[in-house]
Amino acid sequence: MATKKQTSATKLRVLVEGAFGKPDDVIELDGEELAQALASGQVDPTPEAVAYAESLQ
């Protein structure tokens, strides 16, 4: 049995300050957290948005 949790986390750019961070933060979520973040409209999963936010770091 593997001891490491395998994850298929998705990188996201945070759009508004809230439960997921501050604007332009880059976070990784998966599963139910990912679904909630996307449904809330507080994050952008597009690669261009993530790349832009990472360029600001």
Side-chain angles (χ1 to χ4, degrees):
M1 187 168 149
T3 55
K4 277 190 176 179
K5 179 183 172 189
Q6 295 213 346
T7 180
S8 58
T10 301
K11 278 190 173 184
L12 306 160
R13 175 187 176 200
V14 177
L15 299 175
V16 295
E17 187 162 348
F20 302 105
K22 295 185 178 186
D24 297 322
D25 282 352
V26 176
I27 61 172
E28 290 189 25
L29 298 175
D30 62 358
E32 188 60 31
E33 281 184 311
L34 175 60
Q36 289 176 357
L38 292 171
S40 74
Q42 295 182 40
V43 296
D44 187 341
T46 60
E48 297 82 6
V50 171
Y52 172 74
E54 287 178 332
S55 77
L56 300 174
Q57 303 299 318

